[in-house]
């Protein structure tokens, strides 16, 4: 499975040794946006942890049979820090929980993701 992010909605920069992005357009799929993107704050800064939130939603979507209205509610719950209890596998549920933390600073960094045994 490969996922692709075209990066057409952001401009990347490096600040204090941390890669960040500044929102430039309203391009993006609202249902997969992280809490920090979904606030629609002008020129919100975010990093790869924002992409990891979307990845967590995609993992949840792959693991939970849900209707479109259920998906909207479940994804909105994740954005508010409410975890879904419908993921049967505990390791997968824990992985999704780590990816969908409301505060991006509590999500894994790129190095942690590369070293994560769940993805091995």
């Amino acid at each position: 499975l490969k996922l692709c992010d075209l990066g057409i909605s952001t401009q990347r920069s490096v600040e204090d040794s941390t890669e960040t992005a500044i929102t430039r357009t309203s391009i993006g799929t609202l249902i997969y946006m992280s809490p920090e993107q979904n606030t629609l704050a002008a020129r919100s800064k975010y990093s790869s942890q924002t992409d990891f939130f979307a990845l967590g939603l995609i993992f949840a979507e792959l693991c939970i049979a849900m209707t479109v209205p259920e998906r909207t509610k479940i994804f909105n719950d994740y954005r508010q820090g409410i975890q879904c209890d419908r993921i049967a596998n505990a390791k997968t549920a824990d992985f999704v929980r780590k990816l969908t933390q409301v505060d991006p600073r509590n999500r894994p960094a790129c190095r942690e993701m590369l070293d994560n045994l769940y993805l091995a």
Side-chain angles (χ1 to χ4, degrees), residues 30-33 38 53 57 60-61 64 66-86:
L30 289 174
I31 193 74
Y32 296 102
M33 286 186 177
N38 220 9
F53 187 90
L57 296 180
E61 191 170 30
I64 304 168
M66 57 183 127
T67 65
V68 172
E70 287 174 323
R71 180 182 71 168
T72 300
K73 183 192 180 318
I74 289 168
F75 284 12
N76 284 336
D77 283 350
Y78 277 119
R79 276 188 280 279
Q80 295 177 24
I82 302 167
Q83 296 294 310
C84 182
D85 62 359
R86 291 173 52 186

Side-chain angles (χ1 to χ4, degrees), residues 15-113:
E15 296 176 13
D16 300 323
S17 301
T18 302
E19 184 179 343
T20 62
I22 301 171
T23 302
R24 293 190 309 162
T25 70
S26 60
I27 295 173
T29 306
L30 289 174
I31 193 74
Y32 296 102
M33 286 186 177
S34 65
E36 61 271 21
Q37 285 178 295
N38 220 9
T39 62
L40 302 177
R43 299 184 65 79
S44 296
K45 293 183 180 180
Y46 52 89
S47 66
S48 57
Q49 278 80 5
T50 297
D51 295 328
F52 293 146
F53 187 90
L55 180 63
L57 296 180
I58 291 168
F59 264 92
E61 191 170 30
L62 291 170
C63 296
I64 304 168
M66 57 183 127
T67 65
V68 172
E70 287 174 323
R71 180 182 71 168
T72 300
K73 183 192 180 318
I74 289 168
F75 284 12
N76 284 336
D77 283 350
Y78 277 119
R79 276 188 280 279
Q80 295 177 24
I82 302 167
Q83 296 294 310
C84 182
D85 62 359
R86 291 173 52 186
I87 299 175
N89 182 282
K91 288 182 181 180
T92 301
D94 185 56
F95 186 65
V96 170
R97 182 191 56 74
K98 288 176 184 175
L99 294 175
T100 58
Q101 293 295 301
V102 173
D103 186 338
R105 294 172 295 186
N106 295 333
R107 296 180 207 139
C110 288
R111 175 54 42 201
E112 291 174 74
M113 288 295 287

